Amino acid sequence: MGIFCKKGSSGFSSSTTAEQVTEGIDGTGLVAIVTGASSGIGIETARVLALRGVHVIMAVRNVAAGNNIKETILKNHPSANIDVMELDLSSLASVRKFASDFIARGLPLHILINNAGIMATPFTLTKDNIELQFQTNHIGHFLLTNLLLETMKKTARESGREGRIVVVASDGHKFAYKEGIRFDKINDKSGYTGFGGYGQSKLANILHSNELAIRLKEEGVNITVNSLHPGAIATNIMRHSPFLTTLNKVLGKVLGGLTKTAAQGAATTCYVALHPQVKGVTGEYFEDCNVSKPRAQARDAEMAKKLWDLSMNLSSSNK
């Protein structure tokens, strides 16, 4: 990004890269799961965490693509500790299998990065009969987080190190439906729009992060939960919207980079996951490596509680 890169209180800006924001940080001994680590900013997130010594579990739908990324990273950083595991967030059975397989490995878990996402897809119901964007972006991650929470609590307790859950949301939560979450029409085709559905799922990400942060704080658990907007990045997530892909490229050329590179797009994720400045910070929304403020609906505590109940029902009724 070239023109709007004023530094915030963290000392970082929209032009900061993931490598820059983690410079000098030693992640040796930490284990992190990164969903969607085989495309877009997920690749850069996994690469930079591994570069800093973190044992990275790439949770990916396409294992072959994941292994290719792993080999590329190892070629440049032979000492990187990376594993690839299959995870399809549009299948609750796959989410359960991934969690079960990970737990069976007996590894600790310090960092969970819910990064994977899809955007502006045509209306589709998954095998679990849940609207595709809502399940992939929110419900799948909601279930994954719940299934791994005990492992994270145990790790935080035994290691004495703060656990961190990082939810990659989006400023696109502002495009959610007028009512925010369509509680009675989540899986209803009538009134569905690709962008409205995307906005709804990203709003759900922030509400989930906020509610989980409150619950863990009340429990006295040493795990923080924060959500973030990575910035506008022309990645594979835009594949269902040729218009957005084209607009992104044009803006990038004309305005000297309102859009970010993958290296810049992964910066906020890596900052929230690893940086000591974020120690003890929970229930916040970050943008450009600084605390930001989402729209009012994303701060609606009652909506967050209602969403939690809905998510519990949806994720447990498809066993």
Side-chain angles (χ1 to χ4, degrees), residues 152-288:
M152 290 198 74
K153 288 178 183 179
K154 183 185 178 192
T155 301
R157 193 168 56 245
E158 293 181 354
S159 69
R161 301 177 80 162
E162 177 182 86
R164 295 188 184 185
I165 297 172
V166 183
V167 180
V168 180
S170 168
D171 223 27
H173 73 277
K174 294 172 181 173
F175 299 124
Y177 302 109
K178 186 179 178 183
E179 61 269 47
I181 307 292
R182 302 199 313 167
F183 287 101
D184 301 321
K185 300 177 182 177
I186 288 293
N187 305 319
D188 194 340
K189 188 175 182 179
S190 67
Y192 173 87
T193 65
F195 285 109
Y198 176 71
Q200 173 180 247
S201 70
K202 294 288 103 180
L203 174 61
N205 285 158
I206 302 171
L207 292 170
H208 171 218
S209 175
N210 293 350
E211 178 65 13
L212 182 56
I214 290 169
R215 286 170 181 253
L216 292 177
K217 200 169 184 179
E218 288 176 349
E219 267 188 65
V221 177
N222 190 22
I223 299 173
T224 62
V225 194
N226 293 290
S227 58
L228 63 93
H229 170 51
I233 310 124
T235 65
N236 196 36
I237 196 173
M238 293 183 180
R239 63 190 176 277
H240 297 288
S241 179
F243 168 73
L244 265 189
T245 303
T246 304
L247 179 63
N248 206 315
K249 287 176 180 175
V250 170
L251 284 174
K253 288 176 182 177
V254 175
L255 298 177
L258 275 178
T259 56
K260 291 185 177 185
T261 63
Q264 293 166 336
T268 305
T269 303
C270 291
Y271 173 74
V272 177
L274 277 186
H275 208 284
Q277 283 182 358
V278 191
K279 182 175 172 60
V281 178
T282 194
E284 295 288 357
Y285 176 73
F286 288 79
E287 182 175 359
D288 298 334

Side-chain angles (χ1 to χ4, degrees), residues 31-35 37 55-59 83 85 98 102 105 107:
V31 177
I33 291 174
V34 182
T35 69
H55 178 183
V56 177
I57 311 295
M58 296 175 62
D83 290 316
M85 293 178 66
F98 172 89
F102 176 80
R105 290 188 174 201
L107 289 169

Side-chain angles (χ1 to χ4, degrees), residues 2 6 12 30 36 42 52 67 69 73 123 141 144 159-160 181 198 221 275 284 298 301 305 312 318:
K6 183 181 177 184
F12 303 113
L30 299 177
R52 301 306 177 213
N67 280 321
I69 297 300
I73 294 173
F123 181 83
H141 279 129
L144 178 68
S159 69
I181 307 292
Y198 176 71
V221 177
H275 208 284
E284 295 288 357
K305 287 186 177 72
M312 286 296 288
N318 291 284

